[in-house]
Amino acid sequence: PFKAGVEKEFAGKYGTLHTYYRNRGDFGLHNLDQQVLKVHRHAKMIVLDHIHFVDYEGDNENSEQSKFMKRIRILSQGLGIPFVIIAHVRKGDGRASSKTLVPDLDAVHGSSNIGKMVTTAFMLGRASGLVVSDIRAKGGFPTFIRCVKNRLDGTRLSPVAVTFYDPSSGGYAADYSIGRLNWPENKWTPMQTGCSSGMTQLAQWRG
């Protein structure tokens, strides 16, 4: 009964989720086309996690990444399906080296065309030890989230959210706080009305 209940719950929550796991050497530009064309008729969104696991044919990884991103853009526009692309930042970038709380697009590992070709980009940064929270955080790990690119709004100094990652559920809390960074972006200040619940701020700057 337990197994049947789990399978029923999984089917109800994730029945439309289709996952493809690559083997080393079998996911390049040609494989992208094959997999997308298999699912595009019933897919509402395609998530690639992450772009640095793609197998590139040439010796110049940056050039190959540019080709790959161009192909994704063509497929997305042609099929009318949004793609969510996960990318890692370079080691040593972000808060540790530049002293900014949230990395920018220049910190993305690989070709600069990754950032240039996307429509919208969000960057995440660790906020552990930098903010304090109330009971709604439920002991999760605080995380900065910032929209660093939006073709509909070119504002550079966009608000920065603080939410909390819950390792038990593998997701982020529904509650969050909105604030802004100072210049040179090494301190976060919550906005008076920037809370998901309309109550007091979920997070405050420590110090």
Side-chain angles (χ1 to χ4, degrees):
F2 177 76
K3 181 179 180 181
V6 170
E7 290 178 347
K8 181 179 179 180
E9 182 177 350
F10 187 88
K13 290 183 176 180
Y14 308 107
T16 59
L17 175 65
H18 301 269
T19 306
Y20 171 82
Y21 292 98
R22 67 180 281 276
N23 293 314
R24 186 175 181 83
D26 75 345
F27 190 76
L29 198 60
H30 177 63
N31 308 99
L32 172 70
D33 283 0
Q34 288 181 330
Q35 295 301 322
V36 170
L37 292 176
K38 282 181 182 179
V39 303
H40 80 279
R41 294 189 184 278
H42 56 265
K44 294 183 179 180
M45 177 185 294
I46 295 176
V47 180
L48 176 62
D49 185 10
H50 53 85
I51 193 172
H52 307 298
F53 272 160
V54 175
D55 301 301
Y56 300 113
E57 298 178 359
D59 295 330
N60 189 324
E61 182 175 334
N62 287 352
S63 176
E64 293 298 308
Q65 282 182 347
S66 296
K67 293 178 183 178
F68 196 82
M69 289 299 298
K70 287 178 182 178
R71 187 57 186 166
I72 287 176
R73 187 171 180 82
I74 291 172
L75 288 170
S76 179
Q77 293 178 337
L79 300 175
I81 300 174
F83 279 70
V84 176
I85 311 299
I86 311 299
H88 288 184
V89 297
R90 293 188 297 271
K91 289 184 178 181
D93 247 304
R95 196 175 78 195
S97 61
S98 65
K99 306 302 181 183
T100 59
L101 296 179
V102 186
D104 57 23
L105 279 176
D106 292 336
V108 174
H109 177 75
S111 171
S112 61
N113 282 329
I114 295 176
K116 292 176 182 177
M117 294 183 186
V118 298
T119 302
T120 305
F122 290 87
M123 299 295 284
L124 278 64
R126 292 190 300 272
S128 297
L130 298 176
V131 299
V132 292
S133 61
D134 64 20
I135 193 172
R136 285 169 291 167
K138 298 178 181 178
F141 297 101
T143 305
F144 292 117
I145 300 180
R146 184 185 198 181
C147 179
V148 295
K149 180 178 180 180
N150 185 347
R151 291 190 187 275
L152 299 179
D153 179 5
T155 304
R156 175 65 183 89
L157 296 177
S158 58
V160 177
V162 172
T163 186
F164 291 79
Y165 177 76
D166 180 2
S168 63
S169 65
Y172 286 90
D175 289 304
Y176 58 87
S177 287
I178 296 291
R180 292 188 180 277
L181 299 183
N182 67 339
W183 186 260
E185 302 191 348
N186 58 8
K187 181 179 179 180
W188 177 82
T189 302
M191 298 165 60
Q192 291 184 349
T193 58
C195 185
S196 57
S197 62
M199 299 166 57
T200 57
Q201 279 285 1
L202 171 66
Q204 297 287 343
W205 182 255
R206 183 186 296 274

